[in-house]
Amino acid sequence: LTPEESTKFYGATRAIFEPVESDVDLGWALDEANERQLSGYDAQYVVLALERQAFLVTEDKKLIRNAPSNMALTLEQALKLTR
């Protein structure tokens, strides 16, 4: 990731990086954890992404594999969307 790419990515996703507190429906997260064989921690991010209709950017291969289809992207995949 070059400095130019990181600046462009930050600009395209700046709103995501703003400090925001969100309550996650823990019952829903537990259901997702059980259904998708994820940790409770990872399942909370899945639920948050589902609620916000957003992508989940991660390098966690298990999370990419077990998250709802086409939701979880690697950083490289996410960067391609901003080009």
Side-chain angles (χ1 to χ4, degrees):
L1 188 62
T2 67
E4 293 80 21
E5 288 174 324
S6 64
T7 299
K8 184 176 179 179
F9 182 73
Y10 177 76
T13 60
R14 194 171 117 206
I16 296 169
F17 295 108
E18 298 295 323
V20 175
E21 294 278 332
S22 286
D23 288 328
V24 174
D25 181 330
L26 296 179
W28 186 7
L30 183 58
D31 290 343
E32 291 292 327
N34 289 327
E35 179 181 333
R36 300 182 184 287
Q37 298 180 344
L38 296 170
S39 69
Y41 180 82
D42 286 345
Q44 289 181 63
Y45 283 103
V46 167
V47 167
L48 190 59
L50 287 167
E51 286 178 339
R52 293 181 178 212
Q53 299 178 349
F55 290 113
L56 181 57
V57 180
T58 181
E59 294 299 322
D60 184 323
K61 293 186 185 343
K62 181 180 178 186
L63 181 52
I64 292 169
R65 189 174 54 250
N66 293 358
S69 352
N70 302 319
M71 172 196 277
L73 306 173
T74 64
L75 179 57
E76 183 177 337
Q77 292 169 324
L79 285 170
K80 286 179 183 175
L81 293 176
T82 65
R83 292 184 181 146

